[in-house]
Amino acid sequence: MSQANERYLGFTLGEEEYGIPLLKVREVIAIPEITPVPQAPKHYLGIMNLRGQVISIIDLRQKLGITAKTGTENAVVICDIGGAQLGIVVDSVNQVHSPAPDEIAERPDLSQSKSAQYITSVYRAQEKLVLFLDIAKTLDLQDQSLIKKAA
Amino acid sequence: MDDFEKELKIGFLQEAEQLLTDTEQCFLELETNAEDASLLEKIFRLAHNLKGSSKAVGFDSMGQFTHEFESLLLKIKNKDITSTTGVLNLLLRCNDHLKQMVGALTADLEAKVDSSSLMSEIEAASRGELVEAPSEPEAEAVTEPEAEALEEAAEEIAHQEAESIPSADAFAEPPADVPAPSSNEDVGAMLAAQTSLSIEEQFLRAQQEFESKPQTSEPTPVAAPEPVATVAASTPPPVAAAAVTPTSDTAAQKKSTTPPADDSIRVSLSRLEKLLNYVGEMVILQSVLKEQSGAFQTLTLRKTVQQLGKVTKEVQDISMSLRMVPVKQTFQKMQRIVRDTAQMLNKKVNLQLQGEETELDKTVLEHLGDPLVHIIRNAVDHGIENAELRKQRGKPEQGTVNLRAFHEGGRLVIEIKDDGGGIPGEILHKKAIEKGILKPGAPYSEKEAIHLIFHPGFSTKSQVTEVSGRGVGMDVVKTNIERLSGEVQIQTKLGEGTTFRILLPLTLAIIDGMVIRTGKERFIIPLGHVHETLQASSYQLEYATGVGEVLNLRGENLVVYRLDRMVGQKSQVEDGKGIAIVVRTQERPFAVLVDDIIGQSQIVIKQLGTELAHMKGYSGSAILGDGRPALILEVAELIKKYDIKTKPEPTAPRRTA
């Protein structure tokens, strides 16, 4: 085998399973103390101090319109997006998926939901569907237009 | 190309850029002071350095071009041709061309830039055939007969040459990097190897070589097809002996111009940035430690923490100063802008520079260039009147723009002052109504009217010219300066001139901040924005319809904004018991009501991510002593947003009551 399968970090948002490329993940931390930013969009939780760096924290569930599970332990996944770091609040971090290329399917075209456009592909892991997210697309572009509207 | 060679070339290009900036400066000075021989000397030396090094590192085309350039300079220096405006323009264009070359080569070390057209122009100029109208005809007249005589002599020599030298090629390639012979002996030695020529010929050649090498554009008979050009401008034979002196002079000077070894090194900015980041973190850790150590105060611990605080401060100060560079280079670029703009508009404008040595953070300085260009162009275009009008107004024909940098109260001030016509507030106001920016009949102050120039798309010029009038400029100035957390102030007096003041923080990395609390959250307000703080309870807050709450401070009515409402917090103090922070912007003063002031400290600014870049009102964030981040408020921006949200007519000018 010349090329290893690309690996994804799987996590739960509400009842759904999502994944992002593992290479984009810096670390996973417990929910830190967050300083809110007034007048920011709803899914923008605020800023935190990660060893001297100020990092924005985003609630992906708000962003994708998913109802959060109550009573579950939350975690923050620190991602690397275009050189900048960003924290994403998720319900729980599950496992690392390593699907073979033929196990990944294109995203189903039917979905009309808001979140569909951020999904790059899907993977069926043990009877559970894992949606792979394009993190940069989910956060960057969309947010800026939202923030512009809010401002 | 091996790495060493590459490194050499890159090093050279960096050096060349600096050299070219220097030469440009000299040319511009030369224009005002054509008689200054030392200036010419300096330019000549700079060009010579450039030639030498470009050849040494293997940029042959550049070497060739600089050689031509140098030859032309030499002729000006020796007064063979006079430095008219035309010649100076050519020189400046050469300089630009060299800059282009350097630019192209920096991008691609193998780049080729065609310089043949400029080279032929230089050649023409060295023959005194510059067609552009000379500004000093008398001077031209003197040189002409001389040139003619020279031409004759040249033809004669060329004629002899053509007849008597069958193997011109043998001589045609003197080593280019051999230094100019400094005495006749050298010339002799150089030629000794060439035995195929007769002694007479050798002498003739030696003399010719000697004369032409340091002084003309064609040092060698390669130029056989154009022998006239070669010799025409060189010193005629009788003066040959005299020519020895300047030659050896230059040689001596060449040695002395090697700058004395400087005890400095170049460090890449990214490394410096890293260092500063860590220093910033250290400052934070130190303040955390200080706060935490309060709990267990042993004497040694207290002492050590104190000591650490001192050392940290020192380290911070020093590392901050590493980023500081003098404004000189940026200022000098403005000379050229003024010159070109003035020439295009047919105005006479003199730019005076002051405080060029004032130092400023490099990143701040980088972003300052564009705004400065805009303001200065505007000053020359809109500010300075044409010569006639100036005469009528009893001003000297030549306008003056004064560019000055100095420190004032912990901030750097850059002042651009012109002695032009001033900004006519009334006309601006009319125009604004025409364009629908302001409502007719709405009250306005002179000050507000003048600030209209910062309005995007606003221009009083009916026609867009190459220089200005698109209405973009001043808007850009304002946004750029504000992005640097600076401020632009204008003072203008009709008929007497306008002064722009750009106030900038000395550095973007660290500021003095006031930590305040409203509701449960803490925020930071840059200390530079805080004019004074008041115990709100000792003042009466009054409510005025259409304005909101007003606080009377020593007879002045300040509009009060409640920070808790603006940031979605709920004040935890009894109404009217908080602290009012008075902020004075150029536009108007106002007060912000907060719960409490927690303290003042040096704040290391952490930029917010791009996700928040579009949110106005926050200029960044910082980590406080307990390790939690807090937002740095841009109060003036924040209230603007608040104004728009709550007031029905956002475009109506706000009254300060």
Side-chain angles (χ1 to χ4, degrees):
Chain A
M1 249 228 262
S2 62
Q3 215 177 340
N5 294 338
E6 198 179 342
R7 292 189 295 169
Y8 293 82
L9 180 76
F11 51 84
T12 324
L13 298 175
E15 298 294 333
E16 299 167 45
E17 276 247 3
Y18 285 87
I20 55 172
L22 195 63
L23 285 176
K24 290 225 159 59
V25 177
R26 270 290 173 91
E27 60 189 296
V28 178
I29 55 170
I31 294 254
E33 269 189 293
I34 297 173
T35 304
V37 175
Q39 292 159 1
K42 236 187 179 165
H43 66 269
Y44 192 96
L45 293 183
I47 50 178
M48 66 162 283
N49 169 14
L50 179 74
R51 293 188 299 276
Q53 296 294 314
V54 173
I55 289 178
S56 299
I57 304 290
I58 303 263
D59 189 346
L60 258 193
R61 296 165 302 192
Q62 283 270 11
K63 178 77 200 163
L64 300 175
I66 298 167
T67 353
K69 259 193 293 187
T70 40
T72 43
E73 192 60 39
N74 288 344
V76 174
V77 179
I78 307 286
C79 311
D80 217 340
I81 297 169
Q85 289 181 11
L86 213 106
I88 297 167
V89 177
V90 299
D91 281 319
S92 64
V93 173
N94 305 333
Q95 65 177 108
V96 172
H97 301 287
S98 178
D102 57 342
E103 285 178 292
I104 300 177
E106 295 219 345
R107 95 173 116 107
D109 226 12
L110 322 155
S111 176
Q112 293 290 313
S113 87
K114 187 171 139 200
S115 51
Q117 52 184 315
Y118 309 128
I119 294 160
T120 52
S121 50
V122 291
Y123 161 59
R124 186 162 288 282
Q126 288 125 38
E127 298 311 303
K128 219 174 175 209
L129 203 64
V130 182
L131 307 162
F132 290 153
L133 274 179
D134 181 341
I135 271 294
K137 202 172 169 189
T138 320
L139 298 172
D140 202 11
L141 301 167
Q142 285 309 105
D143 273 26
Q144 294 201 350
S145 63
L146 257 183
I147 288 163
K148 263 186 209 155
K149 252 183 249 164
Chain B
M1 195 188 311
D2 59 29
D3 282 351
F4 177 66
E5 202 183 334
K6 214 166 166 180
E7 209 171 288
L8 264 184
K9 286 189 173 180
I10 289 167
F12 160 72
L13 288 171
Q14 282 170 352
E15 185 196 326
E17 224 183 289
Q18 179 61 46
L19 281 176
L20 286 170
T21 315
D22 287 353
T23 34
E24 183 173 296
Q25 186 55 28
C26 290
F27 282 136
L28 292 168
E29 271 173 47
L30 195 65
E31 196 172 37
T32 50
N33 194 359
E35 296 307 306
D36 196 340
S38 68
L39 267 177
L40 268 171
E41 279 294 340
K42 194 173 163 202
I43 299 173
F44 184 72
R45 279 200 309 265
L46 290 168
H48 189 87
N49 282 351
L50 204 58
K51 179 179 93 168
S53 351
S54 61
K55 281 190 175 166
V57 297
F59 289 132
D60 288 334
S61 62
M62 190 179 215
Q64 248 169 23
F65 183 76
T66 39
H67 179 78
E68 298 288 325
F69 187 45
E70 189 191 1
S71 315
L72 181 64
L73 283 172
L74 191 78
K75 267 177 226 170
I76 299 172
K77 197 175 85 163
N78 290 354
K79 299 215 168 25
D80 289 335
I81 44 179
T82 37
S83 51
T84 58
T85 317
V87 173
L88 267 176
N89 273 340
L90 177 65
L91 287 175
L92 279 172
R93 267 166 51 214
C94 290
N95 207 41
D96 284 347
H97 181 71
L98 280 168
K99 271 191 193 163
Q100 262 173 25
M101 252 184 185
V102 171
L105 286 167
T106 315
D108 171 18
L109 286 179
E110 306 291 336
K112 295 255 182 298
V113 181
D114 179 47
S115 36
S116 51
S117 65
L118 253 183
M119 286 217 330
S120 55
E121 251 182 86
I122 298 179
E123 227 167 80
S126 4
R127 285 198 302 268
E129 282 172 10
L130 204 73
V131 270
E132 279 165 86
S135 63
E136 293 157 279
E138 320 92 318
E140 196 77 357
V142 181
T143 47
E144 236 166 304
E146 217 173 49
E148 259 169 54
L150 281 174
E151 241 165 89
E152 268 170 44
E155 247 167 302
E156 208 172 298
I157 295 171
H159 185 66
Q160 279 177 15
E161 232 177 308
E163 267 187 344
S164 58
I165 310 146
S167 59
D169 282 353
F171 198 80
E173 290 184 331
D177 42 359
V178 167
S182 55
S183 74
N184 279 324
E185 250 174 48
D186 283 356
V187 178
M190 219 168 84
L191 291 173
Q194 309 205 317
T195 45
S196 66
L197 301 174
S198 75
I199 299 201
E200 261 170 27
E201 277 165 351
Q202 265 194 33
F203 179 70
L204 183 69
R205 296 208 148 269
Q207 199 174 26
Q208 226 187 322
E209 161 84 352
F210 174 60
E211 285 163 20
S212 59
K213 177 118 191 167
Q215 286 166 339
T216 72
S217 50
E218 305 293 326
T220 71
V222 182
E226 261 187 321
V228 184
T230 316
V231 205
S234 68
T235 332
V239 200
V244 176
T245 346
T247 317
S248 44
D249 267 358
T250 5
Q253 258 159 7
K254 250 179 273 165
K255 273 174 214 144
S256 65
T257 48
T258 340
D262 195 357
D263 279 344
S264 67
I265 52 163
R266 274 169 176 273
V267 183
S268 81
L269 204 59
S270 64
R271 273 170 85 184
L272 207 57
E273 227 118 74
K274 246 185 224 162
L275 173 74
L276 291 179
N277 259 338
Y278 282 118
V279 171
E281 245 163 78
M282 198 168 84
V283 174
I284 294 165
L285 289 178
Q286 185 263 328
S287 65
V288 174
L289 184 66
K290 197 174 160 194
E291 213 162 277
Q292 303 296 315
S293 67
F296 10 10
Q297 283 278 29
T298 66
L299 191 63
T300 358
L301 182 63
R302 197 165 59 208
K303 256 185 162 170
T304 318
V305 169
Q306 244 173 31
Q307 201 70 23
L308 181 67
K310 251 188 208 163
V311 176
T312 317
K313 181 90 179 58
E314 287 283 311
V315 172
Q316 191 188 333
D317 283 352
I318 291 173
S319 48
M320 282 302 131
S321 73
L322 294 179
R323 296 163 58 98
M324 304 300 255
V325 286
V327 295
K328 194 169 180 176
Q329 233 176 322
T330 309
F331 269 27
Q332 286 181 346
K333 279 187 198 139
M334 299 305 143
Q335 287 277 19
R336 182 74 188 271
I337 304 280
V338 168
R339 178 189 183 274
D340 288 356
T341 316
Q343 212 166 45
M344 210 183 311
L345 296 164
N346 240 332
K347 288 179 183 176
K348 280 193 184 154
V349 182
N350 176 27
L351 179 71
Q352 289 175 350
L353 301 181
Q354 269 173 287
E356 294 146 279
E357 300 304 325
T358 316
E359 288 187 331
L360 187 59
D361 189 289
K362 190 173 161 67
T363 30
V364 181
L365 194 63
E366 265 165 20
H367 290 97
L368 193 65
D370 281 347
L372 262 188
V373 169
H374 279 301
I375 295 182
I376 286 198
R377 270 204 197 153
N378 271 349
V380 175
D381 186 15
H382 300 270
I384 305 284
E385 314 95 324
N386 58 38
E388 249 169 75
L389 193 60
R390 288 186 68 85
K391 244 187 237 165
Q392 270 176 33
R393 290 185 177 170
K395 293 183 193 176
E397 205 177 309
Q398 190 182 47
T400 305
V401 177
N402 198 305
L403 181 57
R404 192 155 80 100
F406 56 95
H407 291 283
E408 193 183 86
R411 292 215 269 185
L412 184 100
V413 183
I414 293 186
E415 199 179 76
I416 304 109
K417 193 171 164 185
D418 67 57
D419 65 347
I423 303 173
E426 232 164 280
I427 296 181
L428 289 181
H429 185 244
K430 248 188 231 161
K431 199 87 187 173
I433 291 172
E434 245 171 68
K435 297 206 170 189
I437 298 169
L438 290 184
K439 287 223 162 78
Y444 78 104
S445 70
E446 185 84 349
K447 222 176 191 178
E448 279 169 329
I450 286 158
H451 273 271
L452 281 169
I453 62 167
F454 293 121
H455 200 96
F458 189 82
S459 172
T460 49
K461 283 243 160 161
S462 41
Q463 281 200 326
V464 173
T465 64
E466 201 182 323
V467 181
S468 59
R470 274 170 297 265
V472 191
M474 293 313 281
D475 172 36
V476 170
V477 168
K478 196 172 182 214
T479 27
N480 275 12
I481 300 292
E482 275 172 4
R483 202 168 296 155
L484 297 172
S485 20
E487 194 186 323
V488 190
Q489 299 180 343
I490 319 174
Q491 282 160 8
T492 184
K493 204 156 186 202
L494 266 186
E496 283 178 31
T498 309
T499 305
F500 282 91
R501 282 160 65 96
I502 303 176
L503 285 84
L504 290 168
L506 287 180
T507 171
L508 286 184
I510 292 194
I511 54 161
D512 278 315
M514 180 178 276
V515 184
I516 53 110
R517 183 178 61 81
T518 185
K520 284 184 211 127
E521 286 301 328
R522 289 168 302 173
F523 293 94
I524 298 156
I525 297 178
L527 208 55
H529 293 185
V530 178
H531 196 265
E532 61 181 302
T533 57
L534 316 163
Q535 200 76 47
S537 55
S538 34
Y539 294 85
Q540 189 72 46
L541 290 184
E542 282 163 274
Y543 189 81
T545 315
V547 181
E549 281 176 301
V550 170
L551 182 148
N552 188 307
L553 171 67
R554 295 185 292 271
E556 189 180 19
N557 288 317
L558 303 174
V559 180
V560 176
Y561 294 87
R562 289 172 184 263
L563 188 64
D564 56 337
R565 290 184 198 164
M566 289 195 279
V567 298
Q569 289 286 323
K570 204 167 162 14
S571 172
Q572 291 180 332
V573 294
E574 212 179 302
D575 193 42
K577 287 280 180 301
I579 290 183
I581 293 173
V582 180
V583 179
R584 286 176 195 276
T585 63
Q586 175 78 0
E587 284 157 67
R588 68 207 176 107
F590 59 88
V592 176
L593 207 60
V594 304
D595 281 5
D596 201 2
I597 294 175
I598 294 173
Q600 276 175 28
S601 57
Q602 289 239 312
I603 304 280
V604 182
I605 301 180
K606 303 274 177 184
Q607 293 307 320
L608 292 169
T610 46
E611 322 81 51
L612 287 182
H614 291 282
M615 293 212 57
K616 288 199 172 151
Y618 314 117
S619 57
S621 61
I623 294 167
L624 297 178
D626 63 356
R628 270 192 63 175
L631 289 162
I632 302 170
L633 296 180
E634 201 65 57
V635 201
E637 280 297 324
L638 206 65
I639 64 154
K640 255 182 224 167
K641 231 163 40 177
Y642 194 68
D643 273 348
I644 291 166
K645 268 192 188 162
T646 51
K647 301 217 169 141
E649 280 174 40
T651 45
R654 294 174 295 256
R655 298 187 60 183
T656 39

